[in-house]
Amino acid sequence: MTVVGLREWVALPGLGVAGLRAKIDTGASTSSLHATDIEPFERDGEKWVRFTAHLGTVVQLRHRRCEAPLVTRKTIKSSNGHAQVRYVISTTLALGDRVWPVEFTLACRKSMRYRLLLGSKALIDGQLVVNPGIKYVQDKPVFPVSTSSTGVA
């Protein structure tokens, strides 16, 4: 098991995204990525979703147009009790020296401090243990930003 803090640097190599700050949230079961302009479409008879991933902070705004196969649509209840239907994608997540597939709901998180929330299911799948007293203890994963089949420049 790898120990992580409440905040960590992550990358999404399958989407060509690196240098993203994530909030580790053991109280949330699902993971979430800040996305707008979400459009479902079909490719070769399969359901896909196209979206703009917002990766920046207040200091540096960045965004990237992405495409990913659609896993499902899921109703998520927020901490304030509001229910919302969201698209779910699966892509690789890199945290420290670990890389594994994680399902993310796509949601507008512009009012949130962190553009990516890593939920408990991803923590279990990645065999991670959270120490709430520390943050940014894992090395920042570095992956070249590319235009793969799921990342669009």
Side-chain angles (χ1 to χ4, degrees):
M1 297 284 239
T2 298
V3 176
V4 297
L6 283 180
R7 312 287 185 263
E8 291 290 348
W9 288 101
V10 300
L12 303 174
L15 298 178
V17 173
L20 188 57
R21 291 184 314 151
K23 177 182 179 184
I24 313 303
D25 190 346
T26 58
S29 62
T30 57
S31 299
S32 183
L33 176 65
H34 179 36
T36 59
D37 307 318
I38 302 167
E39 305 169 27
F41 69 99
E42 278 197 23
R43 176 178 288 159
D44 301 324
E46 300 290 324
K47 293 181 180 183
W48 281 62
V49 65
R50 181 178 296 124
F51 57 96
T52 302
H54 295 268
L55 315 167
T57 63
V58 175
V59 177
Q60 178 186 10
L61 296 175
R62 298 181 299 140
H63 62 278
R64 182 172 178 81
R65 197 71 179 147
C66 300
E67 296 177 350
L70 179 63
V71 173
T72 191
R73 288 173 26 140
K74 185 184 250 185
T75 301
I76 302 293
K77 189 183 284 188
S78 68
S79 58
N80 65 10
H82 181 261
Q84 180 185 45
V85 177
R86 297 182 187 172
Y87 291 97
V88 179
I89 64 162
S90 179
T91 192
T92 51
L93 176 105
L95 194 164
D97 62 355
R98 295 183 181 264
V99 179
W100 73 101
V102 173
E103 287 188 356
F104 289 93
T105 64
L106 302 178
C108 180
R109 295 181 54 81
K110 72 179 179 184
S111 64
M112 307 294 187
R113 186 174 192 172
Y114 296 90
R115 304 302 190 202
L116 188 143
L117 179 106
L118 199 59
S120 60
K121 178 156 181 7
L123 299 173
I124 292 167
D125 293 346
Q127 299 182 351
L128 305 174
V129 176
V130 181
N131 179 339
I134 58 177
K135 54 187 168 184
Y136 302 110
V137 294
Q138 294 296 315
D139 289 336
K140 195 178 207 180
V142 179
F143 287 89
V145 176
S146 66
T147 53
S148 67
S149 63
T150 56
V152 179

